[in-house]
Amino acid sequence: MAAPTPEPPALPALHASHAGLWLAAPDGTTQEVGKGQAINACADTPVLMLNAPLVSARLGYPDLSGLDLLELYAFLHPARFCVPTPKGLAAALDIDPPGGDAATPAFLRIALSAMLAVCERDNWAERHGAWSTLQSLARARWPWAQVLAPFVAKPERAERWLFATLPEWEDAPERPQPAQVSISEEEVQGQLARLTGEGAEQREGQRAYAAEVARIFAPREKRSKPNLLLAQAGTGIGKTLGYLSPASVWAERAQGTLWVSTYTKNLQRQLRRESRRAWPEKRADGSAPVVVRKGRENYLCLLNLEDAIQGGFAGRGAVLAHLVARWAQYSRDGDMIGGDLPGWLGTLFPRRGITALTDQRGECVYAGCPHYRKCFIERAARTSAQADLVIANHALVMINAARGRHHGHPPTRLIFDEGHHVFDAADSTFAAALSGQEAIELRRWIIGPERNTRGRRRGLAARLADVSSYDDAGGEAVEAAIEAAQALPADGWLGRIGEGAPSGPLEELLAQVRATVFARDESGGSEAGYGIETEIADPPGPLVEAAQEAQGALADLRKPLLKLGQRLEAVLEDAPDWLDSQGRARIEGARHSLAWRIDLIVAWEALLGRIGGLADADFVDWLAVDRFESREYDIGLHRRWLDPMKPFAKVVLEPAHGVMLTSATLADRDSQGEVDWARAIAASGADHIGLNPHLTSQPSPFDYASNAEVLIVTDIRRGDMAGLAGAYARLIEASGGGTLGLFTAIKRLRAVHARIADRLARAQLPLYAQHVDPIDTGTLTDIFGDDPRASLLGTDALRDGIDVPGESLRSVVLEAVPWPRPTILHRARRAAFADSEGGGGAYDDRIIRARLAQAFGRLIRSRDDSGHFVVLSAAFPSRLLNAFPSGTPIHRVSLDEAVSRLAAGPPARQGGFSPAGLDVPAG
């Protein structure tokens, strides 16, 4: 006789929004309550809630605990996403959503019943491992464990542990170099027709674009001179399928690998979906023709996870570790950042929980790891060497090229989508920073754990113990490196410097950097609590002396590391009997890690040589104290290339055979609205290797004149925070939500949010915000896109990194003209353009127009989109108006008129506005 089905427990439920708090008692009655009553209810008994950190933030009570339904969902359905709102959870569970705030607590109880019912279904896809994980979670005192226990039956057979279920990757022979082929336009257009599908709209711009992209797959004519294409493709062209069409033809005929690089994770996900039209999920032999590659820090490290679930994590951290272990059994590729791990999971637990489970410090022991053959990172690297298409990001492509770190042949055909960000990515990749945070990480990598530090951190001695015991010279080099690393900053360095008691030459250097920065700051940032900086010019004597001492200490560290690298090479050349293939792979990995850390030290030495010495015209150097909300978190010396495309051209372009940079905003436009390629060519690196790139531009097919309208609001005074907040509230109310608010400063974003969130909530208009809500940016975007009445406030990451087509985004409101921050680096680059046409002012204008164009691009994502783009700036310069697509109506209006226009609905529903009615503003 089957056991009776247990009844779901009768639990109280709490819902919090900016409009108020609602509590459902165990008997099902719901009432609106105050904060004190809600907090007391949570203290008395376990309370159901959805997204506990968000509820805590709304209550203003950080230590709130309860039964979070999102944690239960993560247990039941690992590697499945749901929007973390009542509406999103209802959709995931296929139940009716609540009718409003007051109905939400009762909905949470219904959702609990639906979720517990999953455990008893025969078709519960993620049943395997649930019972075993639940036992571990019970030992970790997970509040849900007692609730779930009656519903999760013990399996008849013992469940295999995670590390026994993961498949092993296999080595494959190296892929031959691609064949030299030329693909015809007929082949490209035929493939495009197949990918878009029978009966699909024929877009001439897309066809022309695809034909141009085919150029980069032609055989290269000269060594170090790739076929370089700069392709501007307006929104709606369909550039993804436009370049995948020739790419898939070339990959099949040449048997080669194309790398497509993006700047945002959102585009990576989109590319993965679109690529399924051109390639199957798996080839006949089971291999993957399409692979997503990211940096090591994005993937779950199985050794870190094992440490965490065996006692390395305590309290709530241990719960997270077991939930991640359950996810790892079902994950497609182990990608924790932007992959199939729900982005909201990490925000439910203490900070850095997710990052602690990845390889953030480059400490991988490679073949020395017991899970090496099952490693997600290694599997991704090896499958990419056999793939037809590798989807990566700009930083990974550049780092791999700079360090020569490739499995198989380095990529010879590269497409940089979101190409307008290549300059910024190169700027970060080829930078050097000698800071306290960077230096202490180097110390930890060399020395390993000190005092009572926890975790699996290993130093050089532990990693290379067998080599040291076999090779006396190698062992001596390790010991010398550990001794020399004592000169690097140690734990507590920031506090000692603040107290005026630095220890060692590097800490003394950082103390002198801090003193110099504070002495010379004229920005006002010191008083405002912002980070501050100053040039390395006429350095004071104590700073010069400290730099010389630090330079010597770094040289003393570099020498034994160089010797160790030589000894590792010698061991590989004259391999002992005990050195098997895994040991060889581990030593190769150690050599790689050692090489780039030696390069880092060399860069630091060069930077220190700048203090008191001659400036290098290729670089911009400065000193900085980094702070957040008046709290110092780092001190350092910084070096950037004046033009980072110079190293990019050398390490990325020169070895390639075909490269394309593409974007909707790749090139600027002149005063007549024509494409101006000068800056795009300069920002491609072509000039540095004597290339004349091929240029093509395909305008957007969208009818901006009928579907969009730019409103420049002229009566909001700069610095009037109350007026700014009131403007946002009125505009969001007029639009009925569906508003993306973009800010140039986090401080103003927070101030506006604090003033208007409650007011909007009372009108059933939810408001979310970056840097306010304890939710990751990707999830915030998902929430925004799922609710047409919601609005979202954000900064740069939302200006050109999201894609929300349809009703959910009907208006974009820009807080101010996005002027470049007046940093030392910006000033130097601006000065470099002083002698060019338009001077430094034209340089600034190009940056601003690009930012405006990207922000405007969030508004119209498909032919059916329509909406308003509002700029709250009384003095918007006329010369920037050509940032917007030709024909877009632009009006200078009062706030009242802007509110009226938004209240009347999107322009397309009003019959449109004639471009002839354009108000030509004064300069």
Side-chain angles (χ1 to χ4, degrees):
M1 182 176 177
T5 301
E7 289 291 324
L11 296 168
L14 175 66
H15 171 63
S17 79
H18 285 292
L21 305 168
W22 288 266
L23 180 68
D27 63 6
T29 58
T30 301
Q31 62 176 329
E32 190 169 1
V33 297
K35 289 185 178 180
Q37 191 176 351
I39 292 169
N40 288 335
C42 293
D44 291 342
T45 184
V47 175
L48 286 179
M49 58 187 72
L50 187 68
N51 198 336
L54 188 62
V55 175
S56 296
R58 301 273 165 85
L59 278 174
Y61 189 76
D63 297 325
L64 188 71
S65 61
L67 293 167
D68 193 336
L69 287 170
L70 288 181
E71 292 182 32
L72 178 58
Y73 186 88
F75 173 85
L76 294 175
H77 300 300
R80 277 202 233 178
F81 180 76
C82 84
V83 176
T85 61
K87 179 185 175 185
L89 184 61
L93 298 176
D94 196 22
I95 58 178
D96 293 332
D101 284 332
T104 299
F107 163 79
L108 298 182
R109 294 159 59 97
I110 295 170
L112 173 61
S113 297
M115 294 168 82
L116 293 177
V118 169
C119 303
E120 301 187 308
R121 292 180 190 161
D122 293 335
N123 63 348
W124 181 18
E126 300 95 343
R127 178 181 297 278
H128 180 80
W131 187 85
S132 300
T133 301
L134 187 59
Q135 310 315 301
S136 299
L137 285 165
R139 290 190 290 273
R141 300 181 182 275
W142 187 41
W144 277 112
Q146 289 184 350
V147 177
L148 272 172
F151 295 88
V152 180
K154 183 177 181 179
E156 295 181 1
R157 294 183 178 182
E159 294 173 327
R160 292 192 299 163
W161 196 31
L162 163 69
F163 301 105
T165 62
L166 293 175
E168 293 190 352
W169 50 260
E170 296 180 357
D171 276 320
E174 191 169 298
R175 205 176 194 191
Q177 66 176 5
Q180 298 294 315
V181 299
S182 294
I183 54 179
S184 68
E185 184 170 348
E186 289 75 16
E187 290 177 287
V188 172
Q189 300 302 338
Q191 179 73 332
L192 179 60
R194 284 188 289 274
L195 298 190
T196 53
E198 186 177 347
E201 175 191 1
Q202 294 293 312
R203 290 183 270 188
E204 286 307 314
Q206 186 182 47
R207 290 168 58 84
Y209 176 82
E212 295 285 1
V213 176
R215 292 173 179 271
I216 70 169
F217 298 106
R220 187 175 66 175
E221 294 184 0
K222 294 182 180 179
R223 183 180 181 184
S224 302
K225 305 288 185 183
N227 299 312
L228 178 61
L229 173 67
L230 306 185
Q232 180 149 289
T235 305
I237 283 293
K239 63 178 172 24
T240 303
L241 291 182
Y243 59 65
L244 289 182
S245 299
S248 53
V249 172
W250 174 81
E252 181 179 3
R253 290 191 52 204
Q255 291 297 292
T257 302
L258 167 73
W259 282 56
V260 176
S261 177
T262 77
Y263 192 70
T264 61
K265 295 181 177 68
N266 179 65
L267 183 56
Q268 286 187 331
R269 289 194 292 268
Q270 178 185 326
L271 260 170
R272 186 71 185 89
R273 290 194 302 269
E274 295 285 341
S275 70
R276 295 192 181 105
R277 302 196 191 193
W279 288 277
E281 189 73 22
K282 297 287 184 181
R283 298 188 183 105
D285 62 1
S287 61
V290 179
V291 175
V292 177
R293 278 290 307 277
K294 297 181 180 179
R296 304 184 66 85
E297 68 280 358
N298 288 274
Y299 295 94
L300 173 65
C301 170
L302 294 174
L303 194 56
N304 280 353
L305 178 64
E306 183 181 37
D307 175 73
I309 61 181
Q310 291 184 348
F313 281 19
R316 290 280 292 161
V319 173
L320 173 63
H322 287 293
L323 290 177
V324 169
R326 179 149 164 73
W327 160 79
Q329 286 187 292
Y330 295 93
S331 174
R332 180 180 61 248
D333 55 10
D335 179 3
M336 302 187 78
I337 314 296
D340 53 15
L341 181 76
W344 43 256
L345 183 61
T347 64
L348 306 181
F349 294 89
R351 288 185 62 196
R352 293 189 56 80
I354 292 294
T355 55
L357 295 172
T358 63
D359 180 21
Q360 290 286 320
R361 310 182 190 99
E363 292 191 320
C364 182
V365 294
Y366 297 93
C369 173
H371 311 301
Y372 180 64
R373 298 287 301 186
K374 299 181 178 183
C375 175
F376 289 115
I377 306 167
E378 294 298 323
R379 180 182 293 114
R382 281 162 176 76
T383 53
S384 67
Q386 304 296 320
D388 293 338
L389 173 67
V390 177
I391 302 168
N393 58 67
H394 296 349
L396 178 68
V397 169
M398 294 179 199
I399 289 169
N400 280 356
R403 297 178 183 168
R405 187 68 173 171
H406 296 289
H407 283 274
H409 295 293
T412 58
R413 301 311 193 283
L414 291 157
I415 292 177
F416 290 94
D417 204 337
E418 298 179 306
H420 60 286
H421 279 303
V422 167
F423 184 95
D424 296 328
D427 195 23
S428 298
T429 300
F430 301 110
L434 171 49
S435 72
Q437 298 284 8
E438 293 289 330
I440 198 171
E441 284 301 328
L442 179 61
R443 177 191 179 101
R444 290 166 177 167
W445 184 80
I446 295 171
I447 296 176
E450 298 181 84
R451 301 188 186 94
N452 296 319
T453 53
R454 299 180 65 179
R456 71 164 189 87
R457 188 189 301 278
R458 296 192 191 186
L460 278 177
R463 280 195 212 95
L464 299 173
D466 50 359
V467 175
S468 298
S469 62
Y470 168 77
D471 184 80
D472 291 341
E476 291 170 3
V478 169
E479 291 176 5
I482 292 172
E483 183 177 353
Q486 303 294 331
L488 297 169
D491 288 331
W493 67 273
L494 199 56
R496 287 191 293 275
I497 289 175
E499 295 166 0
S503 174
L506 269 296
E507 287 188 19
E508 178 61 38
L509 168 70
L510 297 175
Q512 291 300 328
V513 168
R514 182 179 185 272
T516 303
V517 171
F518 274 98
R520 297 185 176 186
D521 173 53
E522 297 185 47
S523 68
S526 177
E527 289 72 25
Y530 303 134
I532 52 178
E533 60 186 21
T534 190
E535 303 100 318
I536 301 179
D538 296 322
L543 176 60
V544 175
E545 185 176 338
Q548 291 172 346
E549 290 291 327
Q551 194 174 13
L554 291 174
D556 290 342
L557 175 59
R558 172 173 46 83
K559 291 171 186 174
L561 293 179
L562 280 169
K563 183 179 179 182
L564 177 59
Q566 293 168 352
R567 295 313 308 159
L568 293 179
E569 188 173 346
V571 169
L572 289 175
E573 288 179 356
D574 187 16
D577 294 339
W578 52 263
L579 189 64
D580 57 13
S581 60
Q582 289 200 0
R584 181 177 290 275
R586 180 170 53 81
I587 293 177
E588 285 284 7
R591 283 180 63 204
H592 166 69
S593 297
L594 199 60
W596 74 259
R597 285 174 171 84
I598 291 170
D599 289 343
L600 177 66
I601 294 172
V602 169
W604 287 354
E605 290 181 76
L607 183 51
L608 290 177
R610 162 75 176 87
I611 299 179
L614 296 175
D616 189 324
D618 277 337
F619 297 100
V620 182
D621 304 321
W622 71 95
L623 315 174
V625 176
D626 295 323
R627 301 193 296 178
F628 183 71
E629 295 183 341
S630 300
R631 183 176 181 177
E632 294 179 25
Y633 64 89
D634 207 1
I635 303 166
L637 303 89
H638 298 264
R639 163 166 281 189
R640 296 285 181 103
W641 283 83
L642 184 63
D643 182 0
M645 302 315 289
K646 191 171 185 177
F648 172 84
K650 188 71 177 175
V651 304
V652 177
L653 292 185
E654 275 197 358
H657 285 237
V659 179
M660 177 175 73
L661 277 65
T662 187
S663 167
T665 56
L666 192 64
D668 197 12
R669 290 199 294 159
D670 60 24
S671 57
Q672 283 73 46
E674 299 297 323
V675 177
D676 181 358
W677 284 104
R679 180 58 189 152
I681 294 171
S684 71
D687 292 343
H688 295 298
I689 55 174
L691 270 182
N692 290 316
H694 188 77
L695 312 173
T696 184
S697 178
Q698 303 299 328
S700 171
F702 296 154
D703 183 3
Y704 292 106
S706 299
N707 293 324
E709 186 177 40
V710 175
L711 304 177
I712 300 172
V713 176
T714 59
D715 53 354
I716 304 298
R717 296 195 319 273
R718 186 174 182 180
D720 179 4
M721 193 56 64
L724 181 66
Y728 264 100
R730 292 184 63 193
L731 291 166
I732 292 172
E733 288 168 343
S735 186
T739 298
L740 176 63
L742 298 175
F743 287 76
T744 57
I746 295 173
K747 185 176 181 179
R748 288 194 291 276
L749 180 155
R750 287 175 169 168
V752 167
H753 180 273
R755 288 172 181 261
I756 69 174
D758 292 357
R759 167 180 168 176
L760 294 173
R762 288 191 290 271
Q764 284 77 53
L765 297 173
L767 181 67
Y768 299 91
Q770 266 188 309
H771 312 292
V772 176
D773 293 314
I775 305 174
D776 66 288
T777 300
T779 301
L780 279 173
T781 305
D782 290 324
I783 294 172
F784 174 52
D786 191 54
D787 185 354
R789 293 185 62 81
S791 295
L792 175 61
L793 307 182
T795 52
D796 290 356
L798 297 182
R799 187 179 61 223
D800 60 354
I802 66 169
D803 184 9
V804 183
E807 284 291 305
S808 289
L809 204 169
R810 302 183 294 280
S811 63
V812 174
V813 181
L814 195 60
E815 163 235 357
V817 176
W819 304 104
R821 283 186 59 225
T823 62
I824 289 170
L825 178 61
H826 172 72
R827 186 178 67 192
R829 287 178 177 160
R830 191 179 191 274
F833 284 85
D835 296 331
S836 62
E837 184 179 352
Y843 174 74
D844 282 354
D845 288 351
R846 281 193 290 267
I847 293 174
I848 299 166
R849 282 195 293 268
R851 291 175 178 177
L852 289 170
Q854 282 295 324
F856 182 87
R858 302 311 98 207
L859 185 64
I860 308 294
R861 307 299 298 170
S862 70
R863 288 184 181 275
D864 297 328
D865 285 353
S866 179
H868 295 90
F869 186 88
V870 185
V871 185
L872 303 176
S873 173
F876 190 101
S878 301
R879 65 183 185 275
L880 301 178
L881 292 176
N882 59 352
F884 305 114
S886 299
T888 307
I890 304 172
H891 304 272
R892 285 186 185 270
V893 298
S894 66
L895 177 61
D896 287 344
E897 185 175 351
V899 168
S900 296
R901 288 178 180 266
L902 265 67
R909 298 178 187 173
Q910 306 170 40
F913 293 91
S914 170
L918 172 67
D919 300 328
V920 181

